[in-house]
Protein backbone atom coordinates (compact mmCIF):
# COMPACT_ATOMS: atom_id res chain seq x y z
CA UNK A 1 0.00 0.00 0.00
CA UNK A 2 1.22 3.46 -0.91
CA UNK A 3 2.47 5.53 2.03
CA UNK A 4 0.14 8.40 2.88
CA UNK A 5 1.45 11.88 2.07
CA UNK A 6 0.67 15.10 3.94
CA UNK A 7 -2.02 16.09 1.41
CA UNK A 8 -3.87 12.84 2.18
CA UNK A 9 -4.07 13.84 5.86
CA UNK A 10 -5.39 17.29 4.87
CA UNK A 11 -8.12 15.68 2.69
CA UNK A 12 -8.90 13.17 5.42
CA UNK A 13 -9.20 15.95 8.00
CA UNK A 14 -11.60 17.89 5.75
CA UNK A 15 -13.65 14.74 5.15
CA UNK A 16 -13.91 14.06 8.90
CA UNK A 17 -14.88 17.68 9.65
CA UNK A 18 -17.66 17.68 7.04
CA UNK A 19 -18.85 14.17 7.94
CA UNK A 20 -19.11 14.91 11.66
CA UNK A 21 -20.83 18.26 11.23
CA UNK A 22 -23.36 16.75 8.82
CA UNK A 23 -24.10 13.84 11.13
CA UNK A 24 -24.68 16.33 13.96
CA UNK A 25 -27.52 17.79 11.86
CA UNK A 26 -27.43 21.13 13.71
CA UNK A 27 -28.85 24.20 11.99
CA UNK A 28 -26.59 27.19 12.23
CA UNK A 29 -28.29 30.55 12.70
CA UNK A 30 -27.51 32.77 9.72
CA UNK A 31 -28.02 36.41 8.78
CA UNK A 32 -29.69 37.25 5.48
CA UNK A 33 -27.44 39.37 3.25
CA UNK A 34 -28.83 42.47 1.46
CA UNK A 35 -28.22 40.78 -1.94
CA UNK A 36 -30.40 37.77 -1.09
CA UNK A 37 -33.02 40.03 0.46
CA UNK A 38 -33.13 42.05 -2.78
CA UNK A 39 -33.70 38.90 -4.85
CA UNK A 40 -36.44 37.77 -2.46
CA UNK A 41 -38.10 41.20 -2.51
CA UNK A 42 -37.98 41.25 -6.32
CA UNK A 43 -39.89 37.97 -6.73
CA UNK A 44 -42.15 38.82 -3.80
CA UNK A 45 -43.11 42.22 -5.18
CA UNK A 46 -44.20 41.00 -8.63
CA UNK A 47 -47.98 40.90 -9.09
CA UNK A 48 -49.52 37.44 -8.69
CA UNK A 49 -49.63 35.59 -12.00
CA UNK A 50 -46.54 37.31 -13.44
CA UNK A 51 -44.75 35.26 -16.07
CA UNK A 52 -41.10 34.58 -15.26
CA UNK A 53 -38.60 32.87 -17.54
CA UNK A 54 -36.23 30.55 -15.69
CA UNK A 55 -33.13 29.55 -17.63
CA UNK A 56 -31.13 26.53 -16.45
CA UNK A 57 -27.69 27.55 -17.69
CA UNK A 58 -25.54 25.08 -15.78
CA UNK A 59 -23.81 21.74 -16.11
CA UNK A 60 -24.54 18.55 -14.21
CA UNK A 61 -21.37 18.93 -12.13
CA UNK A 62 -22.79 22.07 -10.47
CA UNK A 63 -26.02 20.41 -9.32
CA UNK A 64 -24.97 19.87 -5.66
CA UNK A 65 -24.50 23.63 -5.30
CA UNK A 66 -27.10 24.89 -7.76
CA UNK A 67 -30.00 22.61 -6.81
CA UNK A 68 -30.75 24.13 -3.35
CA UNK A 69 -30.67 27.61 -4.93
CA UNK A 70 -32.93 26.64 -7.83
CA UNK A 71 -35.41 24.86 -5.57
CA UNK A 72 -35.69 27.87 -3.25
CA UNK A 73 -36.37 30.27 -6.09
CA UNK A 74 -38.84 27.97 -7.86
CA UNK A 75 -40.68 27.37 -4.58
CA UNK A 76 -40.89 31.10 -3.92
CA UNK A 77 -42.19 31.82 -7.42
CA UNK A 78 -44.84 29.06 -7.25
CA UNK A 79 -45.82 30.09 -3.71
CA UNK A 80 -46.46 33.64 -4.95
CA UNK A 81 -48.61 32.33 -7.79
CA UNK A 82 -46.24 33.27 -10.61
CA UNK A 83 -46.20 31.37 -13.91
CA UNK A 84 -42.92 29.89 -15.02
CA UNK A 85 -41.46 29.22 -18.45
CA UNK A 86 -38.39 27.01 -18.25
CA UNK A 87 -35.62 27.00 -20.85
CA UNK A 88 -32.04 25.76 -20.96
CA UNK A 89 -29.14 27.19 -22.93
CA UNK A 90 -26.68 24.47 -21.90
CA UNK A 91 -27.41 20.92 -23.03
CA UNK A 92 -26.52 19.38 -19.65
CA UNK A 93 -28.94 21.59 -17.75
CA UNK A 94 -31.93 20.55 -19.85
CA UNK A 95 -33.03 17.37 -18.10
CA UNK A 96 -32.08 18.74 -14.68
CA UNK A 97 -34.18 21.86 -15.17
CA UNK A 98 -37.20 19.79 -16.21
CA UNK A 99 -36.91 17.58 -13.13
CA UNK A 100 -36.54 20.53 -10.75
CA UNK A 101 -39.55 22.34 -12.22
CA UNK A 102 -41.70 19.21 -12.11
CA UNK A 103 -40.65 18.47 -8.52
CA UNK A 104 -41.53 21.94 -7.21
CA UNK A 105 -44.70 22.22 -9.31
CA UNK A 106 -45.93 19.01 -7.64
CA UNK A 107 -45.38 20.50 -4.18
CA UNK A 108 -47.69 23.44 -4.96
CA UNK A 109 -50.24 21.52 -7.08
CA UNK A 110 -49.35 23.51 -10.18
CA UNK A 111 -50.69 22.33 -13.51
CA UNK A 112 -48.37 21.91 -16.50
CA UNK A 113 -49.46 24.12 -19.36
CA UNK A 114 -51.40 26.52 -17.13
CA UNK A 115 -48.83 27.39 -14.41
CA UNK A 116 -45.61 26.20 -15.97
CA UNK A 117 -44.18 25.08 -19.30
CA UNK A 118 -40.72 23.72 -19.95
CA UNK A 119 -39.48 24.60 -23.43
CA UNK A 120 -36.16 22.77 -23.14
CA UNK A 121 -32.82 23.35 -24.79
CA UNK A 122 -31.84 25.58 -27.68
CA UNK A 123 -28.26 25.59 -29.02
CA UNK A 124 -26.19 28.72 -29.78
CA UNK A 125 -27.15 30.68 -26.67
CA UNK A 126 -26.60 34.16 -28.11
CA UNK A 127 -28.76 33.39 -31.14
CA UNK A 128 -31.39 31.80 -28.86
CA UNK A 129 -31.53 34.83 -26.51
CA UNK A 130 -31.82 37.26 -29.43
CA UNK A 131 -34.34 35.08 -31.22
CA UNK A 132 -36.62 34.94 -28.16
CA UNK A 133 -36.58 38.72 -28.12
CA UNK A 134 -38.27 38.63 -31.53
CA UNK A 135 -40.49 35.58 -31.07
CA UNK A 136 -40.50 32.86 -28.41
CA UNK A 137 -42.91 30.59 -30.36
CA UNK A 138 -40.63 30.69 -33.40
CA UNK A 139 -37.59 29.93 -31.25
CA UNK A 140 -39.36 27.11 -29.41
CA UNK A 141 -42.18 25.79 -31.65
CA UNK A 142 -42.55 22.86 -29.22
CA UNK A 143 -42.04 22.23 -25.53
CA UNK A 144 -39.44 19.85 -24.07
CA UNK A 145 -41.66 16.84 -24.70
CA UNK A 146 -42.47 17.79 -28.29
CA UNK A 147 -45.95 19.23 -27.79
CA UNK A 148 -46.81 22.35 -29.85
CA UNK A 149 -46.35 25.79 -28.26
CA UNK A 150 -49.93 26.75 -29.13
CA UNK A 151 -51.33 23.90 -27.01
CA UNK A 152 -50.57 25.59 -23.67
CA UNK A 153 -52.90 28.27 -22.20
CA UNK A 154 -49.98 29.85 -20.31
CA UNK A 155 -48.22 30.66 -23.59
CA UNK A 156 -51.25 32.17 -25.36
CA UNK A 157 -50.18 35.71 -24.50
CA UNK A 158 -46.43 35.13 -24.44
CA UNK A 159 -44.86 36.23 -27.71
CA UNK A 160 -41.50 37.72 -26.65
CA UNK A 161 -39.77 39.37 -23.69
CA UNK A 162 -42.43 42.11 -23.62
CA UNK A 163 -44.77 39.53 -22.12
CA UNK A 164 -42.27 38.28 -19.55
CA UNK A 165 -41.81 40.05 -16.18
CA UNK A 166 -38.20 38.94 -15.86
CA UNK A 167 -35.55 36.35 -16.58
CA UNK A 168 -33.90 34.31 -13.83
CA UNK A 169 -30.65 32.75 -14.99
CA UNK A 170 -29.58 29.76 -12.87
CA UNK A 171 -25.94 29.43 -13.85
CA UNK A 172 -22.58 28.02 -12.89
CA UNK A 173 -20.65 29.90 -15.58
CA UNK A 174 -20.73 32.99 -17.74
CA UNK A 175 -24.09 32.49 -19.47
CA UNK A 176 -25.79 35.07 -17.27
CA UNK A 177 -23.51 37.64 -18.90
CA UNK A 178 -25.16 36.92 -22.25
CA UNK A 179 -28.62 37.39 -20.76
CA UNK A 180 -27.39 40.80 -19.52
CA UNK A 181 -25.70 41.74 -22.79
CA UNK A 182 -28.51 40.71 -25.12
CA UNK A 183 -31.83 40.29 -23.29
CA UNK A 184 -31.42 43.18 -20.85
CA UNK A 185 -29.42 45.60 -23.01
CA UNK A 186 -31.45 45.12 -26.19
CA UNK A 187 -34.92 44.18 -24.95
CA UNK A 188 -34.79 45.78 -21.47
CA UNK A 189 -36.12 42.70 -19.68
CA UNK A 190 -35.00 42.62 -16.01
CA UNK A 191 -32.40 39.90 -15.50
CA UNK A 192 -31.71 38.28 -12.12
CA UNK A 193 -29.36 35.42 -11.32
CA UNK A 194 -28.89 32.45 -9.03
CA UNK A 195 -25.28 31.46 -9.45
CA UNK A 196 -22.55 29.20 -8.11
CA UNK A 197 -20.41 31.03 -5.54
CA UNK A 198 -17.39 30.89 -7.85
CA UNK A 199 -19.13 33.29 -10.25
CA UNK A 200 -20.21 35.91 -7.71
CA UNK A 201 -17.23 38.24 -8.16
CA UNK A 202 -17.80 38.11 -11.93
CA UNK A 203 -21.36 39.38 -11.58
CA UNK A 204 -20.87 41.87 -8.72
CA UNK A 205 -19.96 44.73 -11.12
CA UNK A 206 -23.22 44.13 -13.03
CA UNK A 207 -25.16 44.45 -9.75
CA UNK A 208 -23.40 47.76 -8.99
CA UNK A 209 -24.18 49.12 -12.44
CA UNK A 210 -27.82 47.99 -12.30
CA UNK A 211 -27.50 45.75 -15.36
CA UNK A 212 -28.22 42.73 -13.18
CA UNK A 213 -31.27 43.43 -11.06
CA UNK A 214 -30.53 40.98 -8.21
CA UNK A 215 -28.35 37.99 -7.49
CA UNK A 216 -28.20 35.16 -5.00
CA UNK A 217 -25.25 32.81 -4.91
CA UNK A 218 -23.79 29.65 -3.47
CA UNK A 219 -24.95 27.35 -0.72
CA UNK A 220 -25.02 30.28 1.66
CA UNK A 221 -27.38 32.14 -0.67
CA UNK A 222 -29.62 29.08 -0.73
CA UNK A 223 -29.58 28.90 3.08
CA UNK A 224 -30.50 32.59 3.35
CA UNK A 225 -33.30 32.17 0.84
CA UNK A 226 -34.63 29.14 2.72
CA UNK A 227 -34.63 31.23 5.89
CA UNK A 228 -36.65 33.96 4.19
CA UNK A 229 -39.11 31.35 2.92
CA UNK A 230 -39.22 29.80 6.42
CA UNK A 231 -38.53 26.33 5.02
CA UNK A 232 -35.86 23.71 5.66
CA UNK A 233 -33.56 22.58 2.88
CA UNK A 234 -30.11 21.51 1.79
CA UNK A 235 -28.81 25.06 2.11
CA UNK A 236 -29.56 25.46 5.81
CA UNK A 237 -28.55 21.87 6.55
CA UNK A 238 -25.17 22.45 4.93
CA UNK A 239 -24.28 25.71 6.70
CA UNK A 240 -22.60 24.16 9.77
CA UNK A 241 -20.55 21.89 7.50
CA UNK A 242 -19.55 24.80 5.26
CA UNK A 243 -18.60 27.07 8.15
CA UNK A 244 -16.58 24.27 9.78
CA UNK A 245 -14.89 23.47 6.45
CA UNK A 246 -13.93 27.13 6.00
CA UNK A 247 -12.48 27.28 9.53
CA UNK A 248 -10.56 24.09 8.75
CA UNK A 249 -9.16 25.62 5.53
CA UNK A 250 -8.13 28.80 7.40
CA UNK A 251 -6.43 26.66 10.08
CA UNK A 252 -4.60 24.71 7.37
CA UNK A 253 -3.40 27.94 5.68
CA UNK A 254 -2.08 29.27 9.00
CA UNK A 255 -0.46 25.91 9.87
CA UNK A 256 1.08 25.67 6.39
CA UNK A 257 2.58 29.14 6.71
CA UNK A 258 3.98 28.43 10.19
CA UNK A 259 5.64 25.24 8.90
CA UNK A 260 7.01 27.12 5.88
CA UNK A 261 8.58 29.91 7.96
CA UNK A 262 9.98 27.49 10.55
CA UNK A 263 11.63 25.44 7.78
CA UNK A 264 12.97 28.57 6.09
CA UNK A 265 14.46 29.89 9.34
CA UNK A 266 16.03 26.50 9.98
CA UNK A 267 17.51 26.49 6.49
CA UNK A 268 18.88 30.04 6.87
CA UNK A 269 20.52 29.17 10.21
CA UNK A 270 22.09 26.00 8.85
CA UNK B 1 -33.91 2.79 -2.96
CA UNK B 2 -34.06 3.20 -6.73
CA UNK B 3 -31.33 1.99 -9.09
CA UNK B 4 -30.36 5.56 -10.06
CA UNK B 5 -29.49 6.44 -6.45
CA UNK B 6 -27.42 3.25 -6.03
CA UNK B 7 -25.49 3.89 -9.27
CA UNK B 8 -24.96 7.58 -8.40
CA UNK B 9 -23.77 6.67 -4.88
CA UNK B 10 -21.29 4.05 -6.10
CA UNK B 11 -19.95 6.36 -8.83
CA UNK B 12 -19.54 9.23 -6.35
CA UNK B 13 -17.48 6.99 -4.07
CA UNK B 14 -15.51 5.75 -7.08
CA UNK B 15 -14.60 9.32 -8.08
CA UNK B 16 -13.63 10.19 -4.48
CA UNK B 17 -11.07 7.35 -4.47
CA UNK B 18 -8.88 9.65 -6.60
CA UNK B 19 -8.11 11.60 -3.42
CA UNK B 20 -5.93 8.64 -2.40
CA UNK B 21 -4.39 8.09 -5.83
CA UNK B 22 -5.23 7.32 -9.46
CA UNK B 23 -6.76 3.83 -9.70
CA UNK B 24 -8.84 1.61 -12.08
CA UNK B 25 -12.10 2.25 -10.17
CA UNK B 26 -11.66 6.00 -10.62
CA UNK B 27 -10.69 5.51 -14.28
CA UNK B 28 -13.87 3.50 -14.86
CA UNK B 29 -16.07 6.20 -13.28
CA UNK B 30 -14.24 8.94 -15.19
CA UNK B 31 -14.64 7.11 -18.52
CA UNK B 32 -18.34 6.57 -17.80
CA UNK B 33 -18.77 10.29 -17.09
CA UNK B 34 -17.07 11.28 -20.33
CA UNK B 35 -18.94 8.70 -22.39
CA UNK B 36 -22.37 9.49 -20.97
CA UNK B 37 -21.79 13.26 -21.23
CA UNK B 38 -20.77 13.03 -24.89
CA UNK B 39 -23.65 10.68 -25.68
CA UNK B 40 -26.16 12.98 -23.97
CA UNK B 41 -24.69 16.01 -25.72
CA UNK B 42 -24.87 14.30 -29.12
CA UNK B 43 -28.48 13.17 -28.67
CA UNK B 44 -29.63 16.59 -27.45
CA UNK B 45 -27.83 18.36 -30.28
CA UNK B 46 -29.07 15.89 -32.91
CA UNK B 47 -32.70 16.33 -31.89
CA UNK B 48 -32.62 20.05 -31.00
CA UNK B 49 -30.25 21.33 -33.66
CA UNK B 50 -29.94 19.09 -36.70
CA UNK B 51 -33.51 17.76 -36.67
CA UNK B 52 -35.45 20.71 -35.20
CA UNK B 53 -33.55 23.54 -36.88
CA UNK B 54 -32.52 21.94 -40.17
CA UNK B 55 -34.09 18.71 -41.44
CA UNK B 56 -37.66 19.11 -40.16
CA UNK B 57 -38.15 22.73 -41.38
CA UNK B 58 -36.31 22.05 -44.66
CA UNK B 59 -37.86 18.78 -45.71
CA UNK B 60 -41.31 18.81 -44.07
CA UNK B 61 -42.11 22.53 -43.95
CA UNK B 62 -40.37 23.45 -47.22
CA UNK B 63 -38.23 26.30 -45.79
CA UNK B 64 -35.83 26.39 -48.76
CA UNK B 65 -33.75 29.24 -47.33
CA UNK B 66 -32.23 26.67 -44.99
CA UNK B 67 -30.32 25.21 -47.94
CA UNK B 68 -27.81 28.07 -47.49
CA UNK B 69 -26.80 27.18 -43.88
CA UNK B 70 -26.93 23.49 -44.87
CA UNK B 71 -24.38 24.08 -47.66
CA UNK B 72 -22.24 26.23 -45.36
CA UNK B 73 -22.35 23.47 -42.75
CA UNK B 74 -21.35 20.84 -45.28
CA UNK B 75 -18.43 22.99 -46.43
CA UNK B 76 -16.97 22.66 -42.93
CA UNK B 77 -16.33 18.98 -43.70
CA UNK B 78 -13.87 20.20 -46.32
CA UNK B 79 -11.26 20.24 -43.54
CA UNK B 80 -11.02 16.45 -43.71
CA UNK B 81 -9.17 16.66 -47.04
CA UNK B 82 -6.14 18.84 -47.73
CA UNK B 83 -7.35 19.70 -51.24
CA UNK B 84 -10.75 20.93 -50.03
CA UNK B 85 -9.63 22.61 -46.78
CA UNK B 86 -9.95 26.03 -48.42
CA UNK B 87 -13.72 25.52 -48.72
CA UNK B 88 -14.10 25.40 -44.93
CA UNK B 89 -12.85 28.99 -44.74
CA UNK B 90 -16.14 30.24 -46.20
CA UNK B 91 -18.40 29.11 -43.31
CA UNK B 92 -15.70 30.12 -40.80
CA UNK B 93 -15.62 33.61 -42.34
CA UNK B 94 -19.41 33.83 -42.14
CA UNK B 95 -19.35 32.68 -38.50
CA UNK B 96 -16.64 35.14 -37.48
CA UNK B 97 -18.17 38.02 -39.41
CA UNK B 98 -21.69 37.59 -38.12
CA UNK B 99 -20.51 36.68 -34.61
CA UNK B 100 -18.33 39.75 -34.35
CA UNK B 101 -21.10 41.93 -35.75
CA UNK B 102 -23.52 40.75 -33.10
CA UNK B 103 -21.08 40.61 -30.19
CA UNK B 104 -18.98 43.78 -30.53
CA UNK B 105 -21.73 46.40 -30.03
CA UNK B 106 -23.33 44.37 -27.23
CA UNK B 107 -20.09 43.77 -25.39
CA UNK B 108 -18.90 47.35 -25.87
CA UNK B 109 -22.13 48.59 -24.35
CA UNK B 110 -22.56 46.08 -21.50
CA UNK B 111 -18.95 45.49 -20.50
CA UNK B 112 -17.38 48.87 -21.17
CA UNK B 113 -19.77 51.82 -21.51
CA UNK B 114 -22.28 50.75 -18.85
CA UNK B 115 -19.49 49.78 -16.47
CA UNK B 116 -17.72 53.11 -17.02
CA UNK B 117 -20.97 54.90 -16.45
CA UNK B 118 -21.43 53.05 -13.15
CA UNK B 119 -17.94 54.10 -12.08
CA UNK B 120 -18.54 57.79 -12.74
CA UNK B 121 -20.94 58.55 -9.90
CA UNK B 122 -21.02 61.47 -7.43
CA UNK B 123 -18.36 61.17 -4.75
CA UNK B 124 -20.50 63.18 -2.36
CA UNK B 125 -23.59 61.64 -0.81
CA UNK B 126 -26.87 63.65 -0.78
CA UNK B 127 -26.11 64.70 2.83
CA UNK B 128 -22.86 66.30 1.68
CA UNK B 129 -20.56 63.68 3.23
CA UNK B 130 -18.05 61.77 1.09
CA UNK B 131 -19.41 58.57 -0.42
CA UNK B 132 -16.71 56.18 0.84
CA UNK B 133 -17.59 53.21 -1.36
CA UNK B 134 -17.56 55.37 -4.50
CA UNK B 135 -14.19 56.82 -3.53
CA UNK B 136 -12.81 53.30 -3.09
CA UNK B 137 -14.23 52.23 -6.48
CA UNK B 138 -12.74 55.31 -8.14
CA UNK B 139 -9.33 54.78 -6.51
CA UNK B 140 -9.43 51.09 -7.49
CA UNK B 141 -10.28 51.79 -11.14
CA UNK B 142 -7.72 54.57 -11.59
CA UNK B 143 -4.79 52.85 -9.83
CA UNK B 144 -5.46 49.51 -11.54
CA UNK B 145 -5.54 51.22 -14.94
CA UNK B 146 -2.24 52.93 -14.05
CA UNK B 147 -0.73 49.52 -13.25
CA UNK B 148 -1.68 48.28 -16.72
CA UNK B 149 -0.25 51.39 -18.44
CA UNK B 150 3.18 50.27 -19.59
CA UNK B 151 4.22 53.25 -21.76
CA UNK B 152 5.59 55.10 -18.74
CA UNK B 153 8.07 53.73 -16.22
CA UNK B 154 6.50 52.84 -12.87
CA UNK B 155 8.51 55.26 -10.72
CA UNK B 156 7.70 58.10 -8.30
CA UNK B 157 4.03 58.87 -7.64
CA UNK B 158 3.10 56.99 -10.82
CA UNK B 159 4.84 53.88 -9.50
CA UNK B 160 3.19 54.24 -6.07
CA UNK B 161 -0.22 54.47 -7.74
CA UNK B 162 0.59 51.35 -9.78
CA UNK B 163 1.61 49.53 -6.59
CA UNK B 164 -1.70 50.53 -5.02
CA UNK B 165 -3.39 49.12 -8.13
CA UNK B 166 -1.70 45.77 -7.49
CA UNK B 167 -3.18 45.77 -3.95
CA UNK B 168 -6.66 46.18 -5.42
CA UNK B 169 -5.92 43.36 -7.86
CA UNK B 170 -4.71 41.11 -5.05
CA UNK B 171 -7.86 41.78 -3.04
CA UNK B 172 -9.90 40.84 -6.12
CA UNK B 173 -7.88 37.65 -6.69
CA UNK B 174 -8.17 36.72 -3.01
CA UNK B 175 -11.93 37.26 -2.99
CA UNK B 176 -12.38 35.30 -6.20
CA UNK B 177 -10.24 32.43 -4.89
CA UNK B 178 -12.14 32.40 -1.58
CA UNK B 179 -15.42 32.18 -3.51
CA UNK B 180 -13.94 29.33 -5.56
CA UNK B 181 -13.03 27.44 -2.37
CA UNK B 182 -16.54 28.14 -1.04
CA UNK B 183 -18.07 26.86 -4.26
CA UNK B 184 -16.04 23.62 -4.24
CA UNK B 185 -16.88 23.07 -0.56
CA UNK B 186 -20.58 23.55 -1.38
CA UNK B 187 -20.32 20.96 -4.14
CA UNK B 188 -18.61 18.48 -1.81
CA UNK B 189 -21.15 19.14 0.96
CA UNK B 190 -23.98 18.63 -1.54
CA UNK B 191 -22.49 15.30 -2.57
CA UNK B 192 -21.94 14.29 1.06
CA UNK B 193 -25.55 15.09 1.82
CA UNK B 194 -26.61 12.84 -1.05
CA UNK B 195 -24.36 10.02 0.22
CA UNK B 196 -25.48 10.34 3.84
CA UNK B 197 -29.21 10.87 3.33
CA UNK B 198 -30.23 9.33 -0.02
CA UNK B 199 -27.61 6.60 -0.43
CA UNK B 200 -26.66 5.46 3.08
CA UNK B 201 -29.82 6.74 4.84
CA UNK B 202 -27.78 7.92 7.85
CA UNK B 203 -29.42 11.35 8.09
CA UNK B 204 -32.79 12.81 7.16
Amino acid sequence: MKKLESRHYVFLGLFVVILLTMLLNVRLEIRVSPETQKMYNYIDSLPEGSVLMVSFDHEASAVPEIKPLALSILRHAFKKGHKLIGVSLLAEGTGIGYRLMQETAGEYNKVYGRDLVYLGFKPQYIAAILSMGESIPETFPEDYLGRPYTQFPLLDSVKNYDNVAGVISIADGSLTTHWIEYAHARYHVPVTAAVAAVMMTTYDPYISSGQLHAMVGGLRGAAEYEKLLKIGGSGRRGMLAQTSAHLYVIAMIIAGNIVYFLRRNKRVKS
Amino acid sequence: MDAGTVIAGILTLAILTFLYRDNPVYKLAESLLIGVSIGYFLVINWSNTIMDLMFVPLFTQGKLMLIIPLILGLLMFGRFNRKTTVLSRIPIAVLIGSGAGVAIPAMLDARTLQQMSATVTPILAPDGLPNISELVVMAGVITTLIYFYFSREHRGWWGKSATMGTYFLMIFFGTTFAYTVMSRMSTFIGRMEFLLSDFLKLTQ
Side-chain angles (χ1 to χ4, degrees), chain A residues 8 65 121 181 237 242, chain B residues 20 48 111 115 183 186 193:
Chain A
H8 290 125
E65 188 181 7
F121 169 69
E181 285 172 1
R237 280 199 297 273
Q242 188 164 60
Chain B
Y20 172 57
N48 288 56
R111 296 190 191 185
Q115 289 297 314
S183 200
S186 303
E193 193 191 345

Side-chain angles (χ1 to χ4, degrees), chain A residues 194-233:
Chain A
V195 296
V198 67
M199 294 308 295
M200 287 179 74
T201 46
T202 305
Y203 294 126
D204 268 336
Y206 293 110
I207 288 281
S208 303
S209 65
Q211 292 163 280
L212 188 60
H213 190 75
M215 174 175 70
V216 58
L219 198 66
R220 183 182 166 89
E224 291 171 4
Y225 216 97
E226 286 165 8
K227 186 181 181 185
L228 288 168
L229 289 173
K230 297 183 178 65
I231 57 168

Side-chain angles (χ1 to χ4, degrees), chain A residues 52-119:
Chain A
L52 286 166
M53 181 174 278
V54 185
S55 184
F56 295 88
D57 307 326
H58 58 82
E59 293 164 323
S61 57
V63 167
E65 188 181 7
I66 288 288
K67 189 179 172 185
L69 268 175
L71 286 177
S72 300
I73 286 167
L74 292 174
R75 281 177 179 141
H76 189 199
F78 279 135
K79 193 176 163 189
K80 286 297 295 179
H82 301 323
K83 317 265 183 203
L84 299 183
I85 299 172
V87 296
S88 174
L89 301 182
L90 270 186
E92 277 191 41
T94 317
I96 298 160
Y98 180 69
R99 274 183 62 176
L100 293 178
M101 282 188 77
Q102 289 287 74
E103 186 182 325
T104 40
E107 291 172 17
Y108 294 90
N109 298 319
K110 298 294 177 184
V111 179
Y112 192 90
R114 188 192 67 192
D115 303 305
L116 73 147
V117 170
Y118 193 70
L119 297 174

Side-chain angles (χ1 to χ4, degrees), chain B residues 135-152:
Chain B
L135 285 171
V136 172
V137 168
M138 192 187 286
V141 170
I142 293 169
T143 55
T144 307
L145 284 174
I146 288 173
Y147 172 72
F148 284 108
Y149 186 81
F150 302 119
S151 298
R152 179 175 168 170

Side-chain angles (χ1 to χ4, degrees), chain A:
Chain A
M1 194 173 165
K2 190 183 166 188
K3 195 185 167 194
L4 291 180
E5 295 166 19
S6 55
R7 68 185 175 92
H8 290 125
Y9 292 110
V10 173
F11 293 151
L12 199 63
L14 182 66
F15 177 76
V16 170
V17 165
I18 289 179
L19 180 71
L20 289 178
T21 48
M22 292 197 81
L23 287 173
L24 279 175
N25 209 10
V26 175
R27 277 194 193 167
L28 204 67
E29 195 50 47
I30 52 164
R31 187 180 57 82
V32 177
S33 65
E35 291 82 14
T36 308
Q37 186 70 53
K38 191 178 177 190
M39 182 79 173
Y40 179 88
N41 291 347
Y42 167 70
I43 294 179
D44 215 56
S45 62
L46 290 171
E48 191 181 330
S50 297
V51 178
L52 286 166
M53 181 174 278
V54 185
S55 184
F56 295 88
D57 307 326
H58 58 82
E59 293 164 323
S61 57
V63 167
E65 188 181 7
I66 288 288
K67 189 179 172 185
L69 268 175
L71 286 177
S72 300
I73 286 167
L74 292 174
R75 281 177 179 141
H76 189 199
F78 279 135
K79 193 176 163 189
K80 286 297 295 179
H82 301 323
K83 317 265 183 203
L84 299 183
I85 299 172
V87 296
S88 174
L89 301 182
L90 270 186
E92 277 191 41
T94 317
I96 298 160
Y98 180 69
R99 274 183 62 176
L100 293 178
M101 282 188 77
Q102 289 287 74
E103 186 182 325
T104 40
E107 291 172 17
Y108 294 90
N109 298 319
K110 298 294 177 184
V111 179
Y112 192 90
R114 188 192 67 192
D115 303 305
L116 73 147
V117 170
Y118 193 70
L119 297 174
F121 169 69
K122 196 55 65 181
Q124 290 292 339
Y125 38 82
I126 294 175
I129 293 169
L130 289 171
S131 176
M132 282 191 280
E134 301 304 320
S135 170
I136 299 174
E138 279 186 27
T139 314
F140 288 95
E142 296 169 341
D143 79 337
Y144 179 56
L145 301 177
R147 292 166 293 193
Y149 190 94
T150 47
Q151 183 184 316
F152 305 109
L154 163 60
L155 302 176
D156 279 347
S157 57
V158 180
K159 305 299 174 204
N160 52 38
Y161 295 133
D162 290 343
N163 314 116
V164 172
V167 173
I168 303 169
S169 172
I170 298 172
D172 65 340
S174 61
L175 256 166
T176 307
T177 316
H178 301 298
W179 281 108
I180 296 166
E181 285 172 1
Y182 298 99
H184 172 71
R186 193 168 292 195
Y187 299 100
H188 310 295
V189 60
V191 176
T192 52
V195 296
V198 67
M199 294 308 295
M200 287 179 74
T201 46
T202 305
Y203 294 126
D204 268 336
Y206 293 110
I207 288 281
S208 303
S209 65
Q211 292 163 280
L212 188 60
H213 190 75
M215 174 175 70
V216 58
L219 198 66
R220 183 182 166 89
E224 291 171 4
Y225 216 97
E226 286 165 8
K227 186 181 181 185
L228 288 168
L229 289 173
K230 297 183 178 65
I231 57 168
S234 310
R236 293 179 85 178
R237 280 199 297 273
M239 271 305 95
L240 181 65
Q242 188 164 60
T243 307
S244 310
H246 286 178
L247 289 173
Y248 176 79
V249 170
I250 292 167
M252 285 295 111
I253 291 169
I254 293 169
N257 276 278
I258 289 170
V259 171
Y260 168 76
F261 282 112
L262 286 176
R263 279 183 185 169
R264 196 178 71 166
N265 287 346
K266 203 175 167 185
R267 215 170 34 241
V268 169
K269 279 176 189 168
S270 65

